[in-house]
Amino acid sequence: MGLCESCCVIVLCFMFLLLNPQFSYSMSCTTQKFTNNKLYQHCNDLLHLNCYIHWTYNTKVSSLNLAFVATPTKSDGWISWGINPIGTGMVGTQSLIAFKNLNDTIVVKTFKLNSYKSIVPGELEYRVSNMEAMYSNEMMVIFASVELPKGMRELNQVWQVGNLVLNGKFPGIHDFQLENLNSKGKLDLMKGKNVNNGLEVSMVKNRNIHGILNIVSWGILFPIGIMIARYLRTFVDPIWFYVHVTCQISSYIIGVSGWATGLKLGSQSKGIMYNSHRDFGIALFCLATLQVFALFLRPKKEHKYRFYWNMYHHGIGYGVLVLGIINVFKGLEILQPGSKWKLAYIIFLSIIGGIALILEAITWTIVLKKKPGKSNINKLYDGQNGGQQPLT
């Protein structure tokens, strides 16, 4: 199998992993079952933090029976679900928080979130009963029954996850990523569904599109394009050139589309800044644009400036390669889609890195067997006669 076929197989496999819903850290609440055989009339996949709520609302007694499912940031962290009777944000929330105590037992406690710095344990405005919690498969579940005011048709819900419990009895501060800040919404008790804000739904969609486009462009196609230019020229000259150009232009077009969705996300997320990720993205766009324009200024092989053009082209290309891979990892840290996404990309890089090492050894073997003279070595550096360009 040639390099082109191998790279296509790798890209297709990685895209399958990206688009396969079973691969994602998220699942559907409809697939979740509880070992205590508790059943609920409705379930909703919450928009952020990979959380889920199962619930049944008894209109006759205004009672909400619920099971809130979430994965804490760490195994000894905490999860929280609450109702805010005075607003849509965190402040004012009457919250149920589950965590492991000093005896390593999962417990549920009630807390009032009076301000961003004041979380007070105690009874809530709503009567809460049947509180219990469980931990299974890295996920925590809060079970409870909440007595709501008569005639309530809709409630403001707030949920959260954290990684620290102080002295086994008090939740520590949570992260302030975009997912954490947006973990709120409305629950329609009459229609049986979670009411999502249209802007938030659009943001989540744009974030996913932004992430996939940039992984495919800077993280997959661009490295493969460099490998095509470096190794195929020895075997299939001049076909390698057209394959290389096609791959890199495709990468650029997809990358610019991803960059544009990033700008859109920035305009939708006032006050939320990821400075290093943004700066790397701007640098990538500028360098990649210079690389594309360099194609139109490419001197002929025998031109005296071709050597300097090669240095420029290779330097910018490897710079884009490094920046692109770094920014993919920064993006994964921001999106937090689950460890399997990051693992899949690391496996992909390991595979193409292994292929590159093998091809490097093969091409160097070919070059050394030819034992060229000084003039021929210069031709190799210039990429003439189908020659390989050494890393050194």
Side-chain angles (χ1 to χ4, degrees):
M1 183 180 290
L3 178 60
C4 285
E5 290 85 353
S6 300
C7 291
C8 288
V9 170
I10 293 172
V11 173
L12 289 174
C13 290
F14 192 78
M15 287 301 296
F16 171 78
L17 290 175
L18 287 176
L19 299 176
N20 182 5
Q22 293 183 345
F23 176 77
S24 174
Y25 187 79
S26 302
M27 63 181 76
S28 171
C29 65
T30 57
T31 65
Q32 297 172 343
K33 306 294 181 183
F34 302 113
T35 56
N36 53 14
N37 294 321
K38 289 190 176 183
L39 299 176
Y40 298 89
Q41 187 176 358
H42 308 284
C43 80
N44 304 111
D45 301 334
L46 300 178
L47 201 56
H48 303 283
L49 297 175
N50 295 310
C51 299
Y52 317 88
I53 184 169
H54 302 250
W55 57 281
T56 299
Y57 181 58
N58 188 330
T59 56
K60 293 182 179 179
V61 295
S62 296
S63 175
L64 178 67
N65 296 318
L66 66 95
F68 172 70
V69 184
T71 302
T73 311
K74 294 183 180 179
S75 60
D76 55 351
W78 54 268
I79 67 171
S80 169
W81 181 89
I83 302 172
N84 191 333
I86 62 173
T88 59
M90 183 184 109
V91 176
T93 299
Q94 310 286 301
S95 184
L96 307 173
I97 301 180
F99 53 85
K100 291 182 180 180
N101 61 17
L102 294 177
N103 297 324
D104 204 34
T105 302
I106 302 294
V107 296
V108 184
K109 301 292 183 181
T110 55
F111 291 84
K112 295 180 180 180
L113 282 62
N114 296 327
S115 71
Y116 289 108
K117 296 183 179 180
S118 176
I119 303 177
V120 181
E123 292 186 2
L124 307 183
E125 293 184 14
Y126 308 108
R127 184 175 178 272
V128 183
S129 59
N130 302 322
M131 288 192 305
E132 59 178 300
M134 61 176 288
Y135 183 86
S136 178
N137 296 325
E138 300 182 351
M139 303 190 84
M140 284 186 184
V141 185
I142 295 175
F143 299 100
S145 297
V146 183
E147 186 176 319
L148 300 174
K150 294 287 185 179
M152 178 175 279
R153 303 177 62 88
E154 187 178 81
L155 59 81
N156 299 318
Q157 60 175 340
V158 180
W159 62 95
Q160 196 56 256
V161 297
N163 61 4
L164 177 65
V165 178
L166 305 175
N167 300 321
K169 59 181 180 180
F170 200 85
I173 193 168
H174 60 76
D175 292 336
F176 283 88
Q177 299 290 341
L178 186 62
E179 285 277 286
N180 301 89
L181 298 176
N182 288 327
S183 55
K184 55 189 177 182
K186 292 183 180 293
L187 189 65
D188 192 320
L189 301 172
M190 298 295 104
K191 296 181 180 179
K193 64 181 182 180
N194 186 51
V195 182
N196 295 317
N197 181 284
L199 178 60
E200 289 188 5
V201 173
S202 175
M203 287 177 60
V204 171
K205 182 180 179 181
N206 287 337
R207 284 172 52 211
N208 293 337
I209 293 174
H210 171 75
I212 291 176
L213 288 177
N214 285 291
I215 288 176
V216 171
S217 60
W218 311 122
I220 297 179
L221 285 179
F222 199 86
I224 289 175
I226 288 181
M227 290 177 63
I228 289 171
R230 178 159 182 78
Y231 301 115
L232 286 191
R233 72 172 67 211
T234 305
F235 307 102
V236 286
D237 188 37
I239 296 176
W240 71 267
F241 174 76
Y242 301 104
V243 178
H244 168 68
V245 170
T246 300
C247 189
Q248 301 305 70
I249 289 180
S250 300
S251 171
Y252 178 75
I253 293 173
I254 296 172
V256 170
S257 301
W259 186 69
T261 59
L263 295 178
K264 178 67 174 179
L265 279 172
S267 66
Q268 292 178 332
S269 310
K270 299 297 184 182
I272 300 175
M273 300 292 292
Y274 298 102
N275 292 328
S276 60
H277 183 63
R278 179 200 61 192
D279 294 343
F280 272 96
I282 293 172
L284 268 173
F285 173 75
C286 294
L287 291 177
T289 301
L290 285 175
Q291 192 77 320
V292 170
F293 280 111
L295 181 65
F296 301 101
L297 301 175
R298 181 171 176 257
K300 294 183 178 180
K301 291 181 179 180
E302 62 275 7
H303 197 283
K304 63 178 181 180
Y305 292 124
R306 178 60 179 263
F307 173 77
Y308 302 103
W309 185 92
N310 284 341
M311 292 180 60
Y312 158 81
H313 185 64
H314 298 161
I316 296 293
Y318 286 118
V320 172
L321 173 68
V322 173
L323 288 178
I325 292 175
I326 292 174
N327 218 28
V328 165
F329 282 108
K330 286 185 175 293
L332 289 173
E333 290 178 3
I334 293 170
L335 287 176
Q336 297 181 334
S339 59
K340 290 182 180 179
W341 287 69
K342 186 175 181 179
L343 177 61
Y345 187 59
I346 292 174
I347 292 173
F348 165 77
L349 291 180
S350 301
I351 291 173
I352 64 170
I355 293 174
L357 287 175
I358 294 172
L359 292 176
E360 190 72 26
I362 292 173
T363 49
W364 269 107
T365 300
I366 294 173
V367 170
L368 292 176
K369 281 184 178 180
K370 291 181 179 179
K371 294 182 179 180
K374 183 175 180 181
S375 61
N376 289 331
I377 290 177
N378 290 333
K379 291 182 179 180
L380 288 173
Y381 272 93
D382 289 336
Q384 299 181 38
N385 301 326
Q388 169 64 20
Q389 295 184 4
L391 281 172
T392 54

